[in-house]
Coordinates of all heavy atoms in Angstrom, one line a residue:
A41 N 27.2 46.5 166.7 CA 26.5 45.8 167.7 C 27.4 45.4 168.9 O 28.6 45.6 168.8 CB 25.7 44.7 167.2
I42 N 27.0 44.6 169.8 CA 27.6 44.3 171.1 C 28.9 43.6 170.8 O 30.0 43.9 171.4 CB 26.7 43.5 172.1 CG1 27.5 43.2 173.3 CG2 26.2 42.2 171.4 CD1 26.8 42.7 174.4
G43 N 28.9 42.6 169.9 CA 30.3 41.9 169.5 C 31.3 42.8 169.0 O 32.5 42.7 169.4
D44 N 30.9 43.7 168.1 CA 31.8 44.7 167.6 C 32.4 45.6 168.6 O 33.6 45.9 168.7 CB 31.1 45.6 166.5 CG 30.6 44.8 165.4 OD1 31.2 44.0 164.8 OD2 29.3 45.0 165.0
C45 N 31.5 46.0 169.6 CA 32.0 46.9 170.7 C 32.9 46.2 171.6 O 34.0 46.8 172.0 CB 30.8 47.4 171.5 SG 29.6 48.4 170.4
I46 N 32.6 44.9 171.9 CA 33.6 44.2 172.8 C 34.9 44.0 172.1 O 36.0 44.1 172.8 CB 32.9 42.9 173.2 CG1 31.7 43.2 174.1 CG2 33.9 41.9 174.0 CD1 30.9 41.9 174.5
L47 N 34.9 43.7 170.8 CA 36.2 43.4 170.1 C 37.0 44.7 170.0 O 38.2 44.7 169.6 CB 35.9 42.8 168.8 CG 35.5 41.3 168.9 CD1 35.3 40.7 167.5 CD2 36.5 40.4 169.7
T48 N 36.4 45.9 170.3 CA 37.1 47.2 170.3 C 37.7 47.5 171.5 O 38.6 48.4 171.6 CB 36.0 48.3 169.9 OG1 35.4 48.0 168.7 CG2 36.7 49.6 169.7
L49 N 37.4 46.8 172.6 CA 38.0 47.1 173.9 C 39.5 46.9 174.0 O 40.2 47.8 174.6 CB 37.3 46.2 175.0 CG 35.8 46.5 175.3 CD1 35.3 45.5 176.3 CD2 35.6 47.9 175.7
P50 N 40.1 45.9 173.3 CA 41.6 46.0 173.4 C 42.2 47.2 172.8 O 43.3 47.7 173.2 CB 41.9 44.7 172.5 CG 40.8 43.8 172.8 CD 39.6 44.7 172.7
L51 N 41.6 47.7 171.7 CA 42.0 49.0 171.1 C 41.9 50.2 172.1 O 42.8 51.0 172.3 CB 41.3 49.3 169.8 CG 41.5 50.8 169.2 CD1 42.9 50.9 168.8 CD2 40.5 51.1 168.1
A52 N 40.7 50.2 172.9 CA 40.6 51.3 173.8 C 41.6 51.2 174.9 O 42.2 52.2 175.4 CB 39.1 51.1 174.4
A53 N 41.9 50.0 175.4 CA 42.9 49.7 176.4 C 44.3 50.2 175.8 O 45.0 50.8 176.6 CB 42.9 48.3 176.9
Y54 N 44.5 49.8 174.6 CA 45.8 50.2 174.0 C 46.0 51.7 174.0 O 47.1 52.3 174.3 CB 46.0 49.6 172.6 CG 47.2 50.1 172.0 CD1 48.5 49.5 172.3 CD2 47.2 51.1 171.1 CE1 49.7 50.0 171.7 CE2 48.4 51.6 170.5 CZ 49.6 51.1 170.8 OH 50.7 51.5 170.2
M55 N 44.9 52.4 173.4 CA 45.1 53.9 173.3 C 45.2 54.5 174.6 O 46.1 55.4 174.8 CB 43.8 54.4 172.7 CG 43.6 54.1 171.2 SD 42.0 54.5 170.5 CE 42.0 56.3 170.7
K56 N 44.5 54.0 175.7 CA 44.6 54.6 177.0 C 46.0 54.5 177.5 O 46.5 55.4 178.2 CB 43.6 53.9 177.9 CG 43.1 54.6 179.1 CD 42.0 53.9 179.8 CE 41.5 54.8 180.9 NZ 40.4 54.1 181.6
D57 N 46.6 53.3 177.3 CA 48.0 53.1 177.8 C 49.0 53.8 177.0 O 49.9 54.5 177.6 CB 48.2 51.6 177.8 CG 49.6 51.2 178.2 OD1 50.1 51.6 179.3 OD2 50.3 50.6 177.4
A58 N 49.0 53.6 175.7 CA 50.1 54.1 174.8 C 50.0 55.6 174.8 O 51.1 56.2 174.6 CB 49.9 53.6 173.4
L59 N 48.9 56.3 174.9 CA 48.8 57.7 174.8 C 48.8 58.4 176.1 O 48.6 59.6 176.3 CB 47.5 58.1 174.0 CG 47.4 57.6 172.6 CD1 46.1 57.9 171.9 CD2 48.6 58.2 171.7
D60 N 48.8 57.5 177.2 CA 48.8 58.1 178.6 C 47.5 59.0 178.8 O 47.7 60.1 179.3 CB 50.1 58.8 178.8 CG 50.4 59.0 180.4 OD1 49.8 58.1 181.2 OD2 51.1 59.8 180.8
L61 N 46.4 58.4 178.5 CA 45.2 59.2 178.5 C 44.6 59.2 179.9 O 44.7 58.2 180.6 CB 44.1 58.6 177.5 CG 44.6 58.7 176.1 CD1 43.6 57.9 175.2 CD2 44.7 60.1 175.5
G62 N 43.9 60.2 180.2 CA 43.1 60.3 181.4 C 41.8 59.6 181.4 O 41.1 59.3 182.4
G63 N 41.3 59.3 180.2 CA 40.0 58.7 180.0 C 39.7 58.4 178.6 O 40.3 59.0 177.7
I64 N 38.8 57.4 178.3 CA 38.5 57.1 177.0 C 36.9 56.8 176.9 O 36.4 56.1 177.8 CB 39.2 55.9 176.4 CG1 39.0 55.8 174.9 CG2 38.9 54.6 177.2 CD1 40.1 55.0 174.2
D65 N 36.2 57.4 176.0 CA 34.8 57.2 175.8 C 34.5 56.5 174.5 O 35.4 56.5 173.6 CB 34.1 58.6 175.8 CG 34.3 59.4 177.1 OD1 34.6 58.8 178.1 OD2 34.1 60.6 177.1
I66 N 33.3 55.9 174.5 CA 32.8 55.3 173.2 C 31.6 55.9 172.8 O 30.6 56.1 173.7 CB 32.6 53.8 173.4 CG1 34.0 53.1 173.5 CG2 31.9 53.2 172.1 CD1 33.9 51.5 173.5
L67 N 31.4 56.3 171.6 CA 30.2 56.8 170.9 C 29.6 55.7 170.2 O 30.2 55.3 169.2 CB 30.5 58.1 170.1 CG 29.3 58.6 169.3 CD1 28.3 59.2 170.3 CD2 29.8 59.7 168.4
G68 N 28.4 55.3 170.5 CA 27.7 54.2 169.8 C 26.3 54.1 170.2 O 25.7 55.1 170.8
H69 N 25.7 52.9 170.0 CA 24.3 52.7 170.4 C 24.3 52.3 171.9 O 24.9 51.3 172.2 CB 23.7 51.6 169.5 CG 23.7 52.0 168.1 ND1 22.7 53.0 167.6 CD2 24.4 51.6 167.0 CE1 23.0 53.1 166.3 NE2 23.9 52.3 165.9
T70 N 23.6 53.0 172.7 CA 23.7 52.8 174.1 C 23.3 51.5 174.6 O 23.7 51.0 175.7 CB 23.0 54.0 174.9 OG1 21.7 54.1 174.3 CG2 23.7 55.3 174.7
E71 N 22.4 50.8 173.8 CA 21.9 49.6 174.2 C 23.0 48.5 174.2 O 23.0 47.4 174.8 CB 20.7 49.1 173.4 CG 21.0 48.8 171.9 CD 20.7 50.1 171.1 OE1 20.8 51.2 171.6 OE2 20.1 49.9 170.0
Y72 N 24.1 48.8 173.4 CA 25.2 47.9 173.3 C 26.4 48.3 174.2 O 27.3 47.5 174.4 CB 25.7 47.7 171.8 CG 24.6 47.3 170.9 CD1 24.3 48.0 169.7 CD2 23.8 46.2 171.2 CE1 23.4 47.5 168.9 CE2 22.8 45.8 170.3 CZ 22.6 46.4 169.1 OH 21.6 46.0 168.3
I73 N 26.5 49.6 174.5 CA 27.7 50.1 175.2 C 27.4 50.6 176.6 O 28.4 50.9 177.3 CB 28.4 51.1 174.4 CG1 27.5 52.3 174.1 CG2 29.0 50.6 173.1 CD1 28.2 53.5 173.4
G74 N 26.1 50.8 177.0 CA 25.8 51.5 178.2 C 26.3 50.8 179.5 O 26.6 51.4 180.4
F75 N 26.6 49.4 179.3 CA 27.1 48.8 180.5 C 28.6 48.7 180.8 O 29.1 48.4 181.7 CB 26.7 47.2 180.4 CG 27.4 46.5 179.3 CD1 28.5 45.7 179.7 CD2 27.1 46.5 178.0 CE1 29.3 45.0 178.8 CE2 27.8 45.9 177.1 CZ 28.9 45.1 177.4
L76 N 29.3 49.4 179.8 CA 30.8 49.3 179.8 C 31.5 50.1 180.9 O 32.4 49.6 181.5 CB 31.3 49.7 178.4 CG 31.1 48.7 177.2 CD1 31.6 49.3 176.0 CD2 31.8 47.3 177.6
P77 N 31.0 51.3 181.2 CA 31.7 52.1 182.3 C 31.5 51.4 183.6 O 30.5 50.9 184.0 CB 31.0 53.4 182.2 CG 30.5 53.6 180.9 CD 30.1 52.2 180.5
G78 N 32.7 51.3 184.3 CA 32.7 50.7 185.7 C 32.9 49.1 185.5 O 33.1 48.5 186.6
R79 N 32.9 48.6 184.3 CA 33.1 47.1 184.2 C 34.3 46.9 183.2 O 34.6 45.8 182.9 CB 31.8 46.5 183.6 CG 30.7 46.6 184.5 CD 29.4 45.8 184.0 NE 28.3 45.9 184.8 CZ 27.3 46.8 184.7 NH1 27.4 47.7 183.8 NH2 26.3 46.7 185.5
S80 N 34.8 47.9 182.5 CA 35.8 47.8 181.6 C 36.7 49.0 181.5 O 36.6 49.8 182.4 CB 35.1 47.6 180.1 OG 34.6 48.9 179.7
C81 N 37.6 49.1 180.5 CA 38.6 50.2 180.4 C 37.9 51.5 180.0 O 38.5 52.5 180.0 CB 39.8 49.8 179.5 SG 39.2 49.5 177.8
V82 N 36.6 51.3 179.5 CA 35.9 52.5 179.0 C 35.4 53.3 180.2 O 34.8 52.8 181.1 CB 34.7 52.0 178.1 CG1 33.8 53.2 177.7 CG2 35.3 51.3 176.9
D83 N 35.6 54.6 180.1 CA 35.3 55.5 181.2 C 33.9 56.2 181.0 O 33.2 56.5 182.0 CB 36.3 56.7 181.4 CG 37.6 56.1 181.6 OD1 37.9 55.7 182.8 OD2 38.5 56.0 180.8
G84 N 33.5 56.3 179.7 CA 32.2 57.0 179.5 C 31.6 56.6 178.2 O 32.4 56.1 177.3
V85 N 30.3 56.7 178.0 CA 29.6 56.4 176.7 C 28.8 57.5 176.2 O 28.2 58.4 177.1 CB 28.7 55.1 176.8 CG1 29.6 53.9 177.1 CG2 27.6 55.3 177.8
R86 N 28.7 57.7 175.0 CA 27.9 58.7 174.4 C 26.9 58.1 173.4 O 27.3 57.2 172.7 CB 28.7 59.8 173.6 CG 29.9 60.3 174.5 CD 29.5 61.4 175.3 NE 29.0 62.6 174.7 CZ 29.8 63.5 174.2 NH1 31.1 63.4 174.3 NH2 29.2 64.6 173.6
S87 N 25.7 58.6 173.3 CA 24.7 58.0 172.4 C 24.9 58.6 171.0 O 24.7 59.8 170.7 CB 23.3 58.3 173.0 OG 22.3 57.9 172.0
I88 N 25.1 57.7 170.1 CA 25.1 58.1 168.7 C 23.7 58.6 168.1 O 23.8 59.4 167.1 CB 25.7 56.9 167.8 CG1 26.3 57.4 166.5 CG2 24.6 55.9 167.5 CD1 27.0 56.4 165.7
D89 N 22.7 58.1 168.7 CA 21.4 58.5 168.3 C 20.9 59.8 168.8 O 19.9 60.3 168.3 CB 20.3 57.4 168.8 CG 20.7 56.0 168.3 OD1 20.9 55.8 167.1 OD2 20.9 55.2 169.1
S90 N 21.7 60.4 169.7 CA 21.3 61.7 170.2 C 22.0 62.8 169.5 O 21.9 64.0 169.8 CB 21.6 61.8 171.7 OG 23.0 61.7 171.9
M91 N 22.9 62.5 168.5 CA 23.7 63.5 167.7 C 23.3 63.5 166.2 O 22.9 62.5 165.8 CB 25.2 63.2 167.9 CG 25.7 63.3 169.3 SD 27.5 63.0 169.3 CE 27.7 62.8 171.0
D92 N 23.6 64.6 165.6 CA 23.3 64.7 164.2 C 24.5 64.3 163.4 O 25.1 65.0 162.6 CB 22.9 66.2 163.8 CG 21.6 66.6 164.4 OD1 20.7 65.7 164.6 OD2 21.4 67.8 164.6
I93 N 24.9 63.0 163.7 CA 26.2 62.5 163.0 C 26.0 62.5 161.5 O 27.0 62.6 160.8 CB 26.4 61.1 163.5 CG1 26.8 61.1 165.1 CG2 27.6 60.4 162.8 CD1 28.1 61.8 165.4
H94 N 24.7 62.3 161.0 CA 24.5 62.2 159.5 C 25.0 63.4 158.8 O 25.3 63.4 157.7 CB 23.1 62.0 159.3 CG 22.1 63.2 159.7 ND1 21.7 63.3 161.1 CD2 21.7 64.2 159.1 CE1 21.0 64.5 161.0 NE2 21.0 65.0 159.9

Side-chain angles (χ1 to χ4, degrees):
I42 179 172
D44 301 310
C45 296
I46 291 173
L47 290 178
T48 305
L49 292 179
L51 170 65
Y54 173 80
M55 290 172 63
K56 204 170 181 180
D57 175 56
L59 302 173
D60 199 19
L61 298 171
I64 191 158
D65 298 341
I66 290 187
L67 174 65
H69 298 287
T70 50
E71 64 264 37
Y72 302 134
I73 61 174
F75 72 97
L76 291 174
R79 299 182 180 95
S80 72
C81 64
V82 173
D83 299 283
V85 297
R86 310 280 296 274
S87 171
I88 200 170
D89 303 306
S90 66
M91 299 183 189
D92 294 331
I93 295 292
H94 66 277

